[in-house]
Amino acid sequence: LAKTTQPISMDSYEGQEVNITCSHNNIATNDYITWYQQFPSQGPRFIIQGYKTKVTNEVASLFIPADRKSSTLSLPRVSLSDTAVYYCLVGDYNQAGTALIFGKGTTLSVSS
Amino acid sequence: GAVVSQHPSWVICKSGTSVKIECRSLDFQATTMFWYRQFPKQSLMLMATSNEGSKATYEQGVEKDKFLINHASLTLSTLTVTSAHPEDSSFYICSARAQTGNTIYFGEGSWLTVV
């Protein structure tokens, strides 16, 4: 599984756009990039998934450059409720038994 | 999105007893389920991978005789912590992968406290 590297923590203010970058230099051809959000005492919540270029949904955008060695999760206009830990994971989960291996994640703190 | 439900959300048990945690995929069939444990302010640690109808694959350092995992159907996996000790107290989280697609969904987690 590709190893990922993210900043340990980030601070932001309400209303700002937050971009969290993840490095995955050893990403394989069939690997997808998935981001999860976790609040204390809750299971991780799926945010977004992509393979290349840009993916956008109702909560976030995911930017993936052509070489796919990194990705950036973009959260538009964050609020206090976006304070959480964000995990970037890489893998080919179509392969039976391929598990999500979590790194340390990025703790995002949003202040008013 | 897909829903994965865990039960119970929290449980307290006495040292030496066994406790079972259930993980259900409510709106999809899960060929593979994963079990994690998480200590406060730490990341999730994969314990084992279970495929429906076969034995679970445990990660290095996880005692298979202590953490019994059963995946008897496409919608249910159970984790039984046997002869629980206070050091087994943790947040246990399951996740499930659908038969098709590349996304894995997580349950709400279960807090286990062994006293």
Side-chain angles (χ1 to χ4, degrees):
Chain A
L1 291 173
K3 184 177 178 180
T4 60
T5 303
Q6 309 173 226
I8 294 295
S9 63
M10 294 183 69
D11 296 315
S12 182
Y13 291 97
E14 285 187 292
Q16 291 189 331
E17 177 184 79
V18 171
N19 296 307
I20 306 174
T21 298
C22 178
S23 297
H24 27 79
N25 292 317
N26 298 322
I27 190 168
T29 302
N30 294 330
D31 287 346
Y32 279 72
I33 300 156
T34 313
W35 285 79
Y36 288 85
Q37 174 193 55
Q38 187 183 28
F39 298 111
S41 297
Q42 294 186 28
R45 182 176 75 99
F46 172 84
I47 301 175
I48 198 166
Q49 184 180 74
Y51 183 79
K52 61 180 179 181
T53 62
K54 176 184 175 182
V55 180
T56 297
N57 62 23
E58 61 275 11
V59 298
S61 295
L62 179 59
F63 298 92
I64 306 168
D67 65 5
R68 305 203 322 125
K69 293 183 183 299
S70 67
S71 59
T72 299
L73 173 72
S74 181
L75 305 172
R77 295 188 303 280
V78 294
S79 63
L80 296 175
S81 62
D82 292 317
T83 294
V85 180
Y86 293 82
Y87 294 97
C88 161
L89 295 103
V90 173
D92 179 8
Y93 308 117
N94 266 321
Q95 294 291 324
T98 299
L100 287 165
I101 305 297
F102 283 77
K104 297 187 185 324
T106 298
T107 299
L108 172 65
S109 299
V110 181
S111 304
S112 57
Chain B
V3 178
V4 176
S5 178
Q6 280 184 241
H7 178 80
S9 300
W10 58 269
V11 58
I12 301 173
C13 71
K14 291 185 176 181
S15 188
T17 62
S18 297
V19 61
K20 180 185 289 186
I21 301 171
E22 293 186 346
C23 177
R24 295 181 184 273
S25 55
L26 298 183
D27 53 0
F28 65 99
Q29 292 187 323
T31 50
T32 308
M33 289 186 169
F34 308 93
W35 286 94
Y36 296 81
R37 67 186 300 181
Q38 185 177 33
F39 294 108
K41 297 192 183 300
Q42 293 188 23
S43 186
L44 286 77
M45 184 190 79
L46 179 67
M47 298 175 67
T49 299
S50 72
N51 293 301
E52 186 265 338
S54 62
K55 289 184 178 181
T57 302
Y58 290 82
E59 295 297 301
Q60 193 171 10
V62 178
E63 299 175 58
K64 61 180 65 177
D65 294 330
K66 180 170 186 59
F67 299 99
L68 302 179
I69 292 172
N70 182 279
H71 192 166
S73 76
L74 285 171
T75 59
L76 174 65
S77 176
T78 59
L79 167 68
T80 301
V81 182
T82 63
S83 187
H85 290 284
E87 56 265 31
D88 299 324
S89 299
S90 185
F91 191 51
Y92 292 87
I93 309 169
C94 73
S95 64
R97 187 181 73 85
Q99 287 180 303
T100 59
N102 210 346
T103 304
I104 296 175
Y105 298 94
F106 286 81
E108 315 96 321
S110 300
W111 272 109
L112 170 63
T113 301
V114 184
V115 297

